[in-house]
């Protein structure tokens, strides 16, 4: 136990995914698999109350290219001052980038744009550095794009390109695990960590406090944080309990 206590802390990012103005969770990223959990502001305020230092905020409608929840996202960010926000979903061009940067978020995630428009993404990474993370959504070693509806190329080829561009951080999601409560893909995370010195935020599959403990054990090799979604909404554990394990 003392070895575990000496492990550096894992940063937890409770997720607030927004579709049609509501907080929702998907299963394996599929449009139409939404389960609604009410007002996103209430969800984010609750995570802040339980001690969150970060919130992972996603505009699913923007990610799927079917609309925008920009006003709701700004309201969420305003209501949880003091909590850092990682903003994701539909940031694909200068207009959406500027809106995301002006929203008050601490960090933004590029997803599809990093796969479909690599020159633009490389320019954004060069200009904004630590403010920009790239989301790599993976099935096996194939990347998923456009709200996970399209093939986005080979993970390792894209990773090499992003490393050359100077990407500062990766948010890695195993699409097959996301929203399933079947545990994170530790092997994928270990392999990612072996191929990049940059910090990795893990996403998808966390179902128990044991999963959080397993991810914390990967902190020394480069897994900096973990996004927790469905398990919190389903009541598998509280955020306060999860933070106890993550921080030790």
């Amino acid at each position: 136990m003392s070895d575990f206590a000496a492990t550096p802390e894992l940063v937890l990012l409770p997720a607030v995914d927004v579709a049609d103005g509501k907080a929702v969770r998907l299963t394996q990223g599929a449009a139409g698999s939404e389960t609604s959990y009410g007002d996103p502001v209430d969800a984010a305020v609750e995570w802040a109350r339980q001690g969150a230092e970060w919130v992972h905020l996603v505009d699913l409608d923007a990610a799927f290219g079917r609309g925008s929840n920009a006003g709701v996202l700004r309201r969420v960010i305003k209501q949880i001052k003091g909590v850092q926000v990682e903003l994701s979903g539909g940031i694909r061009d200068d207009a959406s980038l500027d809106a995301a940067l002006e929203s008050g978020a601490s960090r933004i995630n590029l997803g599809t744009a990093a796969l479909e428009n690599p020159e633009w993404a490389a320019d954004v990474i060069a200009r904004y550095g630590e403010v920009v993370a790239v989301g790599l959504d993976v099935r096996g070693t194939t990347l998923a794009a456009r709200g996970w509806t399209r093939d986005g190329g080979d993970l390792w080829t894209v990773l090499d390109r992003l490393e050359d561009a100077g990407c500062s951080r990766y948010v890695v999601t195993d699409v097959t695990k996301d929203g399933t409560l079947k545990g994170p893909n530790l092997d994928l995370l270990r392999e990612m960590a072996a191929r990049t010195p940059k910090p990795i935020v893990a996403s998808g599959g966390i179902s128990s406090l044991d999963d959080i403990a397993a991810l914390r054990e990967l902190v020394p090799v480069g897994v900096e944080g973990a996004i927790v979604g469905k398990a919190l909404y389903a009541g598998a554990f509280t955020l306060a309990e999860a933070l106890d394990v993550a921080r030790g």
Side-chain angles (χ1 to χ4, degrees):
M1 195 62 204
S2 58
D3 286 352
F4 184 73
T7 304
E9 74 173 66
L10 179 76
V11 178
L12 289 188
L13 300 86
V16 180
D17 292 1
V18 184
D20 196 23
K22 306 274 197 309
V24 303
R25 295 302 300 162
L26 304 183
T27 301
Q28 298 184 331
S33 70
E34 293 92 346
T35 304
S36 178
Y37 291 96
D39 186 340
V41 175
D42 292 346
V45 167
E46 177 58 21
W47 303 146
R49 189 189 68 74
Q50 289 193 42
E53 293 173 9
W54 279 88
V55 164
H56 180 74
L57 184 60
V58 184
D59 188 336
L60 286 174
D61 292 322
F64 284 115
R66 64 188 184 195
S68 168
N69 293 282
V72 178
L73 302 187
R74 280 196 299 274
R75 211 167 76 240
V76 169
I77 293 167
K78 198 174 284 183
Q79 288 297 318
I80 54 170
K81 277 193 168 40
V83 176
Q84 298 190 86
V85 172
E86 178 177 84
L87 186 61
S88 185
I91 302 168
R92 298 195 181 110
D93 53 28
D94 288 333
S96 52
L97 172 70
D98 290 346
L101 291 168
E102 289 163 11
S103 68
S106 305
R107 189 159 74 214
I108 60 164
N109 275 8
L110 299 183
T112 295
L115 309 180
E116 295 185 351
N117 196 346
E119 293 81 10
W120 179 79
D123 178 58
V124 171
I125 289 165
R127 273 189 290 157
Y128 295 103
E130 281 282 330
V131 174
V132 178
V134 170
L136 297 172
D137 301 337
V138 189
R139 284 191 186 92
T141 58
T142 301
L143 289 161
R146 291 276 164 185
W148 302 350
T149 58
R150 289 192 199 160
D151 181 342
D154 176 72
L155 169 61
W156 307 125
T157 304
V158 172
L159 180 64
D160 287 345
R161 191 177 75 222
L162 290 165
E163 288 286 282
D164 289 344
C167 183
S168 67
R169 180 176 277 97
Y170 300 100
V171 179
V172 180
T173 304
D174 182 341
V175 177
T176 64
K177 298 274 192 179
D178 193 65
T180 64
L181 301 177
K182 289 183 177 169
N185 186 337
L186 300 174
D187 291 338
L188 171 66
L189 295 167
R190 282 192 201 95
E191 188 163 4
M192 274 289 299
R195 291 180 184 238
T196 174
K198 305 296 173 48
I200 294 163
V201 177
S203 173
I206 291 175
S207 64
S208 66
L209 296 174
D210 286 345
D211 289 338
I212 292 169
L215 288 167
R216 187 175 167 198
E217 288 177 358
L218 297 183
V219 172
V221 300
V223 176
E224 170 189 78
I227 295 166
V228 191
K230 200 160 197 172
L232 287 175
Y233 289 92
F237 47 78
T238 67
L239 179 60
E241 289 168 336
L243 288 167
D244 278 349
V245 175
R247 292 170 180 165

